Amino acid sequence: MFTELSPAVAEFHPGPSSPSLPSGASPASGVCPAVRAQPAGSLLQRLRAAESGESFELVVPPLVLRAAPGSAVHLEGGRVGSVHVVRTGAFKCVRILEDGYEQVLGFAERGDVLGFDGLCRGVHQTTAVALEDSTVYGLATHELELLPARSPGLARALYGAISRELVDAARIADMMAAVASETRLARFLVWCSDRALERGESPRRLHLRMGRRDIASLLGVAHETVSRSFSLLASDGVLQVDNREVEVLDAAGLLACSRGTRRSSEGAALRRRVAARAGSARGRPAPAWSA
């Protein structure tokens, strides 16, 4: 549900029909050297140009919708009339299970597409919930059908964003494949770092917009386990953690942990050996790891 604020701006509010949703490398290359910042023709930049009137790739400027924390942009099972591109803020995509448990399936931030996976069946597969004050661009489904012919550049940018969503889904599956909880968390943080770099943000100083419980739900572990895993990585000298502010102190060490499959003590020994080899190869002393 939303109320009209202006011809181009609307605001979402939780309604009585909404489900109960509890609250919840180097500086140049990030943790993963293959990741690069978004190109100038990214989807978000093109939509901003259309919003401001600098380009005419859409017949009318895109609708901007505001979402308050805890409100849903779309509901699981609801009919798909439009898809949304995150303009500012962050969202979690959840599925409410039969016993009422809220299963987090992913997170979306600036430039990410919400609701595209519902087009194949005509209904939304998840509920998209704002984690903070956020805004999205709304693109009606009938507009999407005309994009390739009318605005090929915008269509290519949209396809690129959707392709990135598929890559993210594969990486989340990879997180779940790890046995050790700290390895799952390390893979999650590498993913966050890579995504931050794509958005033009620092890949080392991360502001996590989601809470520990949401991270735990995504990774399939208890939230106490997530807190313990943060502590383990911090004690190893990999991270410095201050609530939701996380600084990556040793990118090579974080990558080494994300590539391991062993549990805590064995994984720490493996990370020390990998970091020692990496430090030796660079001609610099290896980072000091705690036991």
Side-chain angles (χ1 to χ4, degrees):
M1 298 175 59
F2 61 86
T3 55
E4 193 72 20
L5 297 182
S6 73
V9 182
E11 183 172 5
F12 285 104
H13 299 283
S17 61
S18 301
S20 175
L21 299 170
S23 59
S26 69
S29 62
V31 170
C32 180
V35 175
R36 294 293 181 267
Q38 290 184 4
S42 72
L43 176 61
L44 191 59
Q45 288 170 323
R46 287 180 176 274
L47 288 175
R48 283 176 172 165
E51 177 190 2
S52 64
E54 296 177 9
S55 76
F56 300 94
E57 291 190 289
L58 296 173
V59 176
V60 295
L63 184 68
V64 179
L65 307 170
R66 287 204 176 99
S71 62
V73 171
H74 61 248
L75 298 175
E76 178 184 355
R79 185 180 63 84
V80 178
S82 61
V83 300
H84 302 93
V85 179
V86 182
R87 180 174 176 268
T88 60
F91 293 82
K92 61 180 177 180
C93 297
V94 304
R95 182 169 293 155
I96 308 300
L97 304 185
E98 291 183 0
D99 61 358
Y101 177 73
E102 181 188 273
Q103 175 65 59
V104 177
L105 299 177
F107 299 107
E109 297 189 38
R110 287 189 296 117
D112 291 333
V113 181
L114 296 170
F116 202 88
D117 57 348
L119 291 179
C120 64
R121 296 181 178 176
V123 296
H124 288 292
Q125 303 301 299
T126 61
T127 296
V129 184
L131 294 170
E132 59 189 26
D133 285 318
S134 305
T135 58
V136 297
Y137 290 111
L139 299 175
T141 54
H142 65 82
E143 291 181 324
L144 300 180
E145 298 171 358
L146 302 175
L147 275 185
R150 180 179 293 164
S151 307
L154 183 57
R156 284 194 298 271
L158 177 62
Y159 299 154
I162 295 166
S163 176
R164 188 177 65 239
E165 300 295 321
L166 296 175
V167 172
D168 286 344
R171 293 188 69 173
I172 291 173
D174 188 55
M175 296 174 202
M176 297 292 295
V179 175
S181 57
E182 58 267 32
T183 302
R184 293 189 183 192
L185 180 62
R187 292 179 183 181
F188 172 75
L189 292 174
V190 169
W191 175 67
C192 289
S193 176
D194 292 345
R195 294 303 311 277
L197 181 64
E198 290 177 352
R199 295 190 299 270
E201 302 170 1
S202 170
R204 288 182 175 268
R205 297 181 179 272
L206 307 176
H207 173 66
L208 302 181
R209 291 172 168 82
M210 66 293 293
R212 297 289 192 266
R213 289 184 181 275
D214 288 336
I215 296 174
S217 179
L218 179 73
L219 299 181
V221 298
H223 75 276
E224 296 89 352
T225 303
V226 169
S227 297
R228 185 166 58 250
S229 297
F230 268 112
S231 298
L232 284 170
L233 292 174
S235 66
D236 273 350
V238 178
L239 307 174
Q240 181 174 307
V241 183
D242 181 11
N243 197 9
R244 296 192 182 188
E245 304 297 328
V246 177
E247 182 177 0
V248 180
L249 301 177
D250 187 342
L254 185 61
L255 271 176
C257 181
S258 72
R259 291 168 178 165
T261 56
R262 297 170 175 81
R263 290 194 176 273
S264 305
S265 60
E266 295 177 347
L270 173 65
R271 294 195 296 275
R272 284 195 293 270
R273 292 195 297 272
V274 171
R277 288 197 297 271
S280 176
R282 293 192 298 265
R284 299 196 299 267
W289 299 93
S290 58

